[in-house]
Amino acid sequence: MTAYLTNLASLGAIFCILAATLNVAVGYAGIFSVAHAVFFGLGAYAGAQVSLLLVPDALLAMLAAALVSGVLSLCLALPALRVRGEYFVAASLGLQMMAVTLFSEAKTVTGGIGGLTGIPGPRLFGVEVSTLPVALGALAVILLATALLMRSSFGRTLQAIRDAESAAEALGKNVAAAKALAVAFACAGAGVAGALFAMHMQFVNVESFTLDQSVLIMAMVIIGGTGTLWGPLVGAVILLSLPAGLAFLPFIPSTEVGAVQQVIYGLAMTLLMIFRPAGLVGDLSRGKSHA
Amino acid sequence: MTAPLLICEGLSRSFGGVKAVAGVSLSLTAGMVTALVGPNGAGKTTCFNLITGNLRADAGKAMLRGQSIMGLKPHQVARQGVARSFQDLRLFTHMSVRDNVLAATETSAWFWQPGGAAARRAREAATEEALARTGLTALAEARAMDLAYAERKFLSMARILAARADIWLLDEPASGLDLSSRRRFGELLKEARRQGVAICLIEHNLDVVTELADRIAFLDQGKVLAEGEPEAILRDPKLAAIYFGDREDAA
Amino acid sequence: MLFLQLLLQGLQVGALYALTAAGFALIFGATRIFHFAHGSAFTLAGYTFLFTSQAGWPWYLGGLASVGVATLFGIGIYWFVYRPIQRHEGSFFTVFVAAFGVGIVVQNLVGMFAGRGFASVDTPLSRATEVLPDVYLAQVFWVAIGLSLVLFLLLTLFLTRHHAGVALRALHQNPDLLRAYGLSSTKLSLLAFAVGSALVAPAAMLTAMTSGLNEAIGHHVMLISMAATIVGGVGSLRGAALAGLMLGVAEAVALSFVDTQWAEAVSFLVLFAFIIFRPSGIFGIAQAR
Amino acid sequence: MSGMNSGRRALLGGLAVAPFVGSARAQSAAPYIVGTLFPMSGPNAEYGSVFTAGAALAIQHINADGILRRPVRIQAEDTQALPQQAVVAMNKLVSVDHAHYVLSAFTAVSKAVAPVGDRARTVMVNGGAVGPDLSGLSPYFWNVIPLAHLETQALLPFMIQRGLKRVALVYVDDPLGDAILGILRTSLPAAGGSLVGNFSVPRTAQQFAPVAARIRQTRPDAVYIASFGAQQSQIIKQLRDNGVSQPLVSYSAMNIDSVRNTPEAEGLIFTTQSTDFEGGDAVTRRFATDFKAQHNADPGTYQVNYYNAVRLFGLLAQSLERENAEVNGENLRRVLLAQREFDLVGGKGRFDDLGNMSAALQITEIRGGRLVKIG
């Protein structure tokens, strides 16, 4: 039982990191990315390769993953600076689809669909550790950084850009730089989550980094509540425990459990947007359109 | 008379064959209020957009303290000391009043602002001062979207005050204000003028113009038709005909 | 010859893309709703056609049923999902998430009730014969091209001649014009959703006959329609249709230059390039910013 | 469509077993848990129903025969054929349900869960995936299905003999496809044929008409299809629709309803394990008869494999119960390696040191929606 719970908790922490970092882009900077799984994947591959080729050190793997994802986040920052709204969502969708093809084809780095196996578990300074404390530590650091940043001038800048980009510009804010930084921060965080994921699963393949995964992460943020510190975490925990919770409902035929679960989370997304667009934690005014 | 802070010469811009601004020349001097007056669609806001870099000019130039600001991005122009307001305000609606103003004092997009604690205290002081001057101190924690109309207008002014710019471009800052608010707004403007800010405002209310403006530039169809003392311009029957021709609510 | 073959195949697929894209563009142009559940209308229409033909209905009745289901879905989603969201000024992202949720629900319900996996309508129309040395063409090619042309002609006539069509075009640009026509914007939005969704039905039927259906097919349709709308230039129906055609051709013709596994990425590469370098699209005037 | 129907029937069958299990549980000790890691939703859900049907029948037989002191019960976990879900599910099976035996499927899923089962020393048995990299994943990871390289090897002599020397390959870009590509590249020329073209397609691809055009260009004698799931029928139909009239050949993944029911699949040749349901031994006949009675359809290879996987558990656990040893991974493995040979559906199944079962292969052709043995 404990192993099962530890495993779930580790995955939970990893997805909390993903949701929390995506929230920086979506909730604070108004950059609605549907490509978060791409950077999750980049981090996972980077972390896995560091562990496989160099040393299986968790910190090093996370650092490398954050670097790789952060730097390549430029692919996302570029359209974010050019277009907004629906166009940007479309661009990030395009990026997501292309990335999946690339992940499948760049077999020397990613192992393609076959994936990378035998990734060593996490170690800290040569000592084997469980993923959970490392993941919780990373989550805490990222949450703290997010909370501090969002309360700082940088957070104000992002929110100002989200609410009224032209006014922020007119007050001397370098919108391009701020957006690029926000995207880099969010993607680097996704990279850290990726490295943890790779070390925890000891196996990664492209199927964990598809559009469905991106949508799941996005649903976590939305259902929990954008632009709040805790909302995304609530969303992540709810969506991750949904399958386990449904498994205990006896009247659902076991062959349909997966579909029922998908229907529930689809319905939850739709109904929430109709009746409580701010999410479960967010305040109600936040769902309204940003000028 | 001191040298003008901002000089525009022959600014032009057309949209799909229509000349929105056709060769506008304008100069703004420290401690002077210039009003841009003219019927709707005369190109007043476009002029602002050309100066601030929100639009590229087809021709002409704009010099700030002798340096060209053509081709600069909006935030770069802003950092040179040009602050502007928008007709539709564009407040940071989900942020508190204080954060709206504080954001105006911070120009670095990096994770932190330069200058350390001393600079931070200075920004906070500027914020509190701007809030006090606009009468918003009591509302500092309220969210911008929850403010009343007049309070929003003053918040827009507070952002400009806090930005410490020496050129203000104000797009209909007094429109829709009741009499007492308008008076307070007038005081704000006069004080800024005393401190040597060069102000340019787009205004439809001729009472406000007469009360506050030192000079008037009359725009129609993208051109400056006349420029000079308010009394002289407003007394010109030809301009009045143009001005009132398609507007009845101006008075 | 390979090039000609690929070009023809690209045209056939592209004609279907054009139809779905035109529907998407019509809805977006008139209502400003980025209808991410557009693919669901396609799925539902396709499966309706499949079931009716399995039940032995003649094709025209099945086709009618399929158009009806798509139209009802379009009207339903506007009335029950988009309109309530728009009433409380939901941002575009709220709309996007809600639509995506609908897409997931439809996909899984179809999977539960219609079975998962591949299904197709068996017809001799899709069997290709050699028309030129080494160039194979099925009758369905002519059906696809002909049907698309006829539907576009009808759509163009409707949008330029019929007063409701004209109003539809004007809906976004000039709401004042609506009052002159005595139409409410809600009614027009419903009309846009009805017409736009009905347009996917023929494409869904032809897909059921050619490449076949599965419950997840709506996903791909939605992505392509969206890509075509943006590449074509938002607000331009012609642009969307042309871009849809172009994407179909690009996917096929790309195979004479690149390996087969890259074909799918081609559309998205085109989309991405357009967003970065020409966000207003081919025919677009309105800039995204 | 009928794949779905048989799935639903399998489900009903499973429910029918449940009361029996419940009463048995009341009488004796807690049941043995056989966990399943099958896709029950998503694009590969068809397989999940098929696999479950085989395993459920075996459990029914074991419980009815009373060969074990404790009843056996299925604990189904949905993986959607995705590795991440699979690892969560495997962890649940191992540490919450304390599964004694886990049935796995799909290459990526199997590779992902293998480390978890290895750590927990829980036996995992694959009867569906044929990726060659599944061999030797862990001492506790066994295969009751001949892996793909064996199948492809078995097909080559037949093809050469039929004069199908120029072969074009359409393959999904995964380890399975890569393995088949590798074999065709090396063994085909050695056997006297040649690989005239290879076309990899993404898993999610829907349009194969352009691929068909490329294939026609290579003027092959036959086209080998190495895909799985819903995509297979789409490939077959679109190749046929677009002027590829050459024989289509493939491997055992084609043995599902949706393929058999695709009219264009007529004449498709593929390898499967050879199972003689009419003649043969008692185990096989009983399986075939009862399966037909329950599902009103002939059993397929996968049902055989997962029946065998569960039956293997029954036999191994029986031995352990006799010697009063605990039924756990280590002991199961010990007995497997000690006995090596078991009476399974289709005849004797032999296991090698790595836990891979070898089985006789046959070549079948689809004629009128049914499999006909042709070699």
Side-chain angles (χ1 to χ4, degrees):
Chain A
M1 194 71 190
T2 42
Y4 173 62
L5 290 180
T6 313
N7 170 57
L8 267 193
S10 305
L11 278 175
I14 289 170
F15 274 86
C16 281
I17 295 177
L18 284 172
T21 51
L22 179 63
N23 182 41
V24 172
V26 170
Y28 291 104
I31 298 169
F32 299 105
S33 162
V34 199
H36 214 50
V38 173
F39 300 95
F40 181 46
L42 286 171
Y45 290 129
Q49 291 295 3
V50 165
S51 298
L52 284 168
L53 300 177
L54 295 171
V55 283
D57 186 83
L59 287 179
L60 194 68
M62 288 193 285
L63 192 70
L67 263 177
V68 168
S69 294
V71 169
L72 287 175
S73 74
L74 218 60
C75 299
L76 195 66
L78 215 57
L81 302 180
R82 295 279 295 169
V83 296
R84 41 197 313 202
E86 293 90 345
Y87 283 73
F88 178 74
V89 171
S92 65
L93 274 172
L95 182 70
Q96 170 72 57
M97 302 305 287
M98 285 192 293
V100 168
T101 306
L102 273 178
F103 287 166
S104 314
E105 295 309 318
K107 288 188 192 151
T108 42
V109 186
T110 66
I113 293 175
L116 300 172
T117 45
I119 302 164
R123 281 160 178 273
L124 280 181
F125 312 108
V127 184
E128 205 167 316
V129 289
S130 148
T131 316
L132 187 59
V134 186
L136 285 177
L139 176 63
V141 169
I142 284 175
L143 279 181
L144 192 71
T146 309
L148 285 178
L149 269 183
M150 291 313 127
R151 242 180 277 157
S152 75
S153 65
F154 183 65
R156 265 190 298 278
T157 301
L158 286 186
Q159 294 172 61
I161 291 171
R162 179 196 65 195
D163 285 356
E165 187 169 322
S166 51
E169 251 180 334
L171 291 171
K173 312 246 176 224
N174 187 344
V175 171
K179 276 188 175 180
L181 265 179
V183 169
F185 178 79
C187 292
V192 169
L196 286 166
F197 184 73
M199 289 183 288
H200 176 64
M201 303 281 284
Q202 309 195 347
F203 167 85
V204 287
N205 83 345
V206 61
E207 285 165 320
S208 300
F209 316 121
T210 56
L211 176 60
D212 289 339
Q213 189 80 282
S214 281
V215 171
L216 176 71
I217 304 169
M218 189 193 72
M220 289 170 176
V221 177
I222 302 286
I223 289 177
T226 56
T228 59
L229 194 61
W230 301 107
L233 306 196
V234 171
V237 169
I238 288 179
L239 282 190
L240 282 182
S241 46
L242 194 61
L246 284 178
F248 293 109
L249 295 181
F251 54 87
I252 300 173
S254 64
T255 45
E256 303 296 343
V257 164
V260 170
Q261 176 192 318
Q262 296 273 324
V263 168
I264 288 181
Y265 109 52
L267 264 182
M269 277 161 81
T270 306
L271 292 178
L272 216 58
M273 288 306 102
I274 298 176
F275 297 109
R276 200 178 156 82
L280 296 176
V281 175
D283 70 273
L284 274 171
S285 61
R286 233 185 241 288
K288 296 198 174 152
S289 59
H290 305 133
Chain B
M1 191 170 134
T2 50
L5 273 175
L6 179 78
I7 304 173
C8 306
E9 275 171 32
L11 280 180
S12 302
R13 169 75 196 216
S14 44
F15 298 105
V18 179
K19 288 201 166 175
V21 173
V24 165
S25 298
L26 200 69
S27 59
L28 302 180
T29 310
M32 264 180 72
V33 177
T34 309
L36 289 186
V37 175
N40 267 346
K44 301 177 300 264
T45 303
T46 310
C47 273
F48 276 11
N49 283 334
L50 291 174
I51 294 170
T52 57
N54 287 83
L55 284 173
R56 282 282 138 92
D58 298 333
K61 58 182 178 178
M63 311 282 280
L64 182 64
R65 294 184 209 90
Q67 301 259 318
S68 172
I69 52 168
M70 286 284 93
L72 291 187
K73 298 206 171 69
H75 72 270
Q76 291 168 321
V77 175
R79 286 180 193 181
Q80 306 268 334
V82 180
R84 77 175 287 188
S85 74
F86 297 87
Q87 205 180 332
D88 55 356
L89 301 183
R90 305 190 190 176
L91 301 178
F92 307 133
T93 42
H94 295 280
M95 291 161 62
S96 73
V97 166
R98 179 175 280 119
D99 276 355
N100 262 271
V101 182
L102 200 53
T105 65
E106 300 158 338
T107 50
S108 167
W110 188 232
F111 287 140
W112 52 84
Q113 301 292 319
R120 200 190 68 227
R121 275 193 298 275
R123 287 195 304 273
E124 284 166 359
T127 301
E128 295 310 323
E129 190 200 330
L131 288 175
R133 278 173 67 183
T134 49
L136 291 171
T137 308
L139 292 165
E141 300 307 324
R143 236 174 0 182
M145 65 195 302
D146 299 330
L147 296 185
Y149 182 76
E151 290 159 358
R152 292 184 194 194
K153 289 237 146 190
F154 277 104
L155 178 52
S156 167
M157 286 309 297
R159 289 200 306 204
I160 289 183
L161 279 172
R164 304 262 152 148
D166 45 15
I167 296 174
W168 291 4
L169 306 177
L170 309 178
D171 202 341
E172 303 203 23
S175 68
L177 289 184
D178 59 83
L179 211 64
S180 72
S181 300
R182 214 155 74 196
R183 202 164 297 137
R184 268 172 53 215
F185 169 73
E187 292 309 314
L188 262 181
L189 222 61
K190 282 175 192 158
E191 195 183 332
R193 179 167 59 185
R194 269 198 301 280
Q195 289 169 350
V197 178
I199 298 168
C200 181
L201 81 159
I202 296 173
E203 189 50 65
H204 281 299
N205 189 328
L206 296 183
D207 292 345
V208 175
V209 173
T210 338
E211 187 200 335
L212 296 174
D214 302 305
R215 291 180 69 76
I216 287 182
F218 192 99
L219 256 74
D220 187 40
Q221 296 182 355
K223 291 195 181 71
V224 180
L225 289 191
E227 200 186 346
E229 303 281 311
E231 291 78 34
I233 303 284
L234 294 178
R235 238 178 274 129
D236 189 329
K238 221 167 61 200
L239 299 177
I242 294 172
Y243 189 72
F244 294 112
D246 48 357
R247 280 182 63 97
E248 291 133 7
D249 58 331
Chain C
M1 276 305 126
L2 176 65
F3 187 81
L4 180 63
Q5 175 75 68
L6 292 175
L7 183 69
L8 291 174
Q9 279 164 350
L11 283 175
Q12 182 186 324
V13 174
L16 303 187
Y17 286 176
L19 282 176
T20 56
F24 186 86
L26 179 72
I27 292 170
F28 186 55
T31 64
R32 283 283 128 174
I33 290 173
F34 221 61
H35 180 31
F36 271 96
H38 195 51
S40 303
F42 185 95
T43 313
L44 290 172
Y47 273 92
T48 306
F49 187 65
L50 181 83
F51 280 133
T52 53
S53 74
Q54 276 173 353
W57 294 23
W59 64 268
Y60 47 89
L61 277 185
L64 223 57
S66 142
V67 170
V69 166
T71 311
L72 276 181
F73 173 79
I75 291 176
I77 195 172
Y78 173 70
W79 196 258
F80 294 112
V81 178
Y82 296 142
R83 210 177 52 110
I85 291 177
Q86 281 192 326
R87 243 195 330 232
H88 58 61
E89 303 171 64
S91 73
F92 92 93
F93 199 63
T94 318
V95 170
F96 166 75
V97 174
F100 218 105
V102 171
I104 292 172
V105 171
V106 168
Q107 174 181 335
N108 283 282
L109 287 182
V110 166
M112 278 164 83
F113 293 106
R116 303 183 182 92
F118 172 83
S120 70
V121 173
D122 198 32
T123 155
L125 282 181
S126 67
R127 189 57 70 91
T129 49
E130 199 162 8
V131 288
L132 282 172
D134 219 16
V135 174
Y136 284 70
L137 215 52
Q139 278 159 307
V140 76
F141 174 83
W142 301 110
V143 178
I145 303 284
L147 202 59
S148 312
L149 284 178
V150 169
L151 285 172
F152 275 114
L153 204 67
L154 288 177
L155 190 65
T156 315
L157 283 178
F158 172 68
L159 289 178
T160 50
R161 298 291 159 79
H162 196 273
H163 74 286
V166 175
L168 214 53
R169 282 196 305 163
L171 184 53
H172 180 63
Q173 294 146 5
N174 193 353
D176 290 338
L177 205 67
L178 294 178
R179 262 169 257 138
Y181 279 98
L183 285 162
S184 78
S185 77
T186 307
K187 271 187 193 151
L188 278 177
S189 299
L190 279 175
L191 183 68
F193 270 92
V195 175
S197 301
L199 275 178
V200 302
M205 288 182 258
L206 288 173
T207 305
M209 294 179 205
T210 51
S211 54
L213 303 171
N214 61 49
E215 77 276 10
I217 198 164
H219 225 60
H220 188 239
V221 171
M222 177 272 283
L223 289 171
I224 289 287
S225 308
M226 178 205 71
T229 302
I230 286 177
V231 170
V234 168
S236 165
L237 214 63
R238 224 175 347 138
L242 205 72
L245 193 68
M246 200 187 82
L247 289 180
V249 171
E251 268 182 25
V253 169
L255 284 201
S256 51
F257 309 110
V258 296
D259 270 344
T260 38
Q261 68 267 32
W262 298 97
E264 254 205 335
V266 169
S267 285
F268 299 106
L269 191 67
V270 171
L271 168 68
F272 201 71
F274 260 92
I275 285 178
I276 302 267
F277 298 111
R278 195 178 156 78
S280 55
I282 306 173
F283 291 105
I285 356 123
Q287 179 77 5
R289 281 187 88 122
Chain D
M1 289 298 105
S2 73
M4 193 56 217
N5 292 338
S6 80
R8 217 169 267 141
R9 262 180 245 117
L11 172 69
L12 293 176
L15 290 178
V17 181
F20 173 79
V21 171
S23 62
R25 186 186 199 170
Q27 291 163 10
S28 60
Y32 289 117
I33 308 288
V34 173
T36 61
L37 296 171
F38 298 152
M40 295 312 220
S41 66
N44 291 302
E46 185 182 355
Y47 285 106
S49 325
V50 171
F51 297 163
T52 309
L57 183 61
I59 287 180
Q60 218 176 321
H61 283 169
I62 291 174
N63 286 336
D65 296 352
I67 59 169
L68 295 179
R69 288 179 210 144
R70 291 155 64 179
V72 183
R73 167 174 89 79
I74 280 193
Q75 177 65 40
E77 296 294 331
D78 180 16
T79 63
Q80 295 183 36
L82 296 175
Q84 184 192 319
Q85 272 84 333
V87 168
V88 174
M90 182 67 187
N91 271 300
K92 174 168 182 289
L93 286 178
V94 165
S95 56
V96 179
D97 302 312
H98 301 289
H100 298 86
Y101 199 72
V102 173
L103 304 180
S104 169
F106 287 85
T107 306
V109 164
S110 301
K111 282 167 82 172
V113 299
V116 182
D118 190 58
R119 248 176 281 143
R121 297 188 183 162
T122 302
V123 171
M124 301 155 284
V125 183
N126 159 49
V130 288
D133 42 355
L134 291 184
S135 171
L137 273 183
S138 147
Y140 302 99
F141 193 94
W142 309 341
N143 295 292
V144 293
I145 182 171
L147 300 179
H149 49 294
L150 300 176
E151 285 204 39
T152 312
Q153 295 281 16
L155 190 64
L156 291 183
F158 174 84
M159 289 171 66
I160 301 298
Q161 179 207 327
R162 281 246 176 143
L164 306 176
K165 292 186 175 162
R166 296 171 53 84
V167 179
L169 171 68
V170 185
Y171 67 105
V172 169
D173 205 3
D174 68 357
L176 167 83
D178 284 345
I180 292 181
L181 174 66
I183 291 161
L184 290 181
R185 264 205 188 123
T186 52
S187 307
L188 194 57
S194 61
L195 182 66
V196 291
N198 59 81
F199 306 95
S200 91
V201 290
R203 259 187 200 187
T204 48
Q206 314 258 354
Q207 289 289 345
F208 304 100
V211 177
R214 288 278 300 267
I215 290 175
R216 284 205 317 271
Q217 285 279 303
T218 63
R219 313 224 164 278
D221 297 329
V223 181
Y224 196 111
I225 300 170
S227 168
F228 57 84
Q231 206 181 37
Q232 296 180 131
S233 320
Q234 265 164 312
I235 297 178
I236 294 170
K237 175 170 165 31
Q238 291 184 44
L239 291 190
R240 283 293 183 240
D241 272 357
N242 289 284
V244 176
S245 51
Q246 288 89 345
L248 303 178
V249 295
S250 186
Y251 71 105
S252 54
M254 288 290 181
N255 199 6
I256 50 175
D257 283 342
S258 64
V259 172
R260 283 194 296 266
N261 296 335
T262 303
E264 285 81 1
E266 182 71 16
L268 174 75
I269 295 167
F270 60 91
T271 43
T272 61
Q273 288 149 260
S274 65
T275 331
D276 181 2
F277 292 123
E278 271 81 40
D281 54 291
V283 176
T284 311
R285 277 203 309 275
R286 179 186 184 203
F287 166 75
T289 329
D290 287 3
F291 189 89
K292 227 169 168 167
Q294 267 183 24
H295 299 276
N296 198 22
D298 284 333
T301 318
Y302 293 125
Q303 280 119 357
V304 173
N305 292 343
Y306 283 103
Y307 182 93
N308 279 345
V310 175
R311 182 174 160 79
L312 177 65
F313 172 75
L315 297 173
L316 295 176
Q318 194 182 18
S319 309
L320 289 175
E321 280 187 355
R322 277 201 198 114
E323 57 183 78
N324 279 326
E326 196 196 341
V327 176
N328 62 22
E330 276 164 277
N331 285 337
L332 286 169
R333 179 174 147 78
R334 176 170 57 75
V335 185
L336 177 89
L337 294 182
Q339 295 187 5
R340 295 281 181 162
E341 215 172 74
F342 301 89
D343 283 324
L344 299 177
V345 173
K348 296 258 183 234
R350 262 202 72 79
F351 286 83
D352 67 10
D353 292 342
L354 294 173
N356 297 332
M357 191 181 91
S358 55
L361 289 167
Q362 65 182 1
I363 294 163
T364 54
E365 183 176 342
I366 294 183
R367 286 187 194 151
R370 296 176 65 90
L371 295 194
V372 177
K373 183 173 182 237
I374 56 169

